[in-house]
């Protein structure tokens, strides 16, 4: 659809904690321009700073132009897609499963201590 044909996906939010739009765009190989927040900086570290481009304060035309330049260079270089290996569904499912098992075990242990 529209996202896969885009050169970039710009998210003009003042604040951003987490966004499915970021991962949808990245999955489709489209760079994202997003506000600089703790979560977007973490995502940028995971996938690469050519794929998650950050802006400070308000989104400006210069931010968009700079992001388009980066996206066009990626396309010209036939750069490999963003590194989404830390977001693998199977691996995430295993990690969440282990976390929930650990929390349930701790809760059961704490409950047994109260008796």
């Amino acid at each position: 659809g529209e996202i896969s044909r885009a050169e970039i996906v710009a998210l003009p939010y003042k604040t951003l904690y987490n966004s499915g739009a970021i991962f949808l765009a990245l999955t489709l190989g489209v760079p994202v321009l997003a506000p600089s927040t703790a979560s977007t900086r973490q995502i940028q570290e995971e996938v690469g700073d050519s794929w998650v481009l950050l802006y400070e304060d308000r989104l400006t035309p210069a931010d968009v132009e700079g992001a388009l330049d980066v996206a066009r260079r990626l396309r010209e270089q036939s750069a490999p897609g963003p590194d989404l290996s830390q977001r693998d569904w199977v691996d995430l499912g295993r990690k969440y499963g282990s976390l929930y098992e650990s929390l349930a075990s701790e809760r059961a242990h704490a409950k047994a201590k109260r008796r």
Side-chain angles (χ1 to χ4, degrees):
E2 296 297 317
I3 293 175
S4 60
R5 289 193 299 266
E7 290 186 83
I8 63 167
V9 169
L11 302 174
Y13 306 128
K14 289 183 181 179
T15 59
L16 180 72
Y17 301 105
N18 200 354
S19 173
I22 289 175
F23 293 106
L24 175 59
L26 293 174
T27 299
L28 295 171
V30 179
V32 177
L33 176 59
S36 180
T37 66
S39 62
T40 57
R41 287 188 297 274
Q42 180 182 358
I43 297 167
Q44 184 186 53
E45 286 178 27
E46 286 179 32
V47 303
D49 60 3
S50 293
W51 290 99
V52 176
L53 305 146
L54 303 177
Y55 63 88
E56 300 291 334
D57 301 318
R58 307 186 100 205
L59 180 62
T60 67
D63 294 323
V64 174
E65 289 171 10
L68 284 169
D69 288 343
V70 171
R72 289 172 182 152
R73 277 196 306 273
L74 285 173
R75 194 174 57 243
E76 287 169 4
Q77 297 168 354
S78 299
D83 178 7
L84 297 171
S85 61
Q86 294 184 48
R87 303 291 175 150
D88 176 72
W89 284 106
V90 173
D91 187 44
L92 284 174
R94 256 189 242 114
K95 287 177 182 176
Y96 274 113
S98 293
L99 173 65
Y100 292 138
E101 285 175 10
S102 173
L103 292 173
S105 176
E106 286 178 22
R107 186 170 186 219
H109 183 68
K111 197 173 189 179
K113 275 184 144 180
R114 284 184 264 155
R115 291 183 187 174

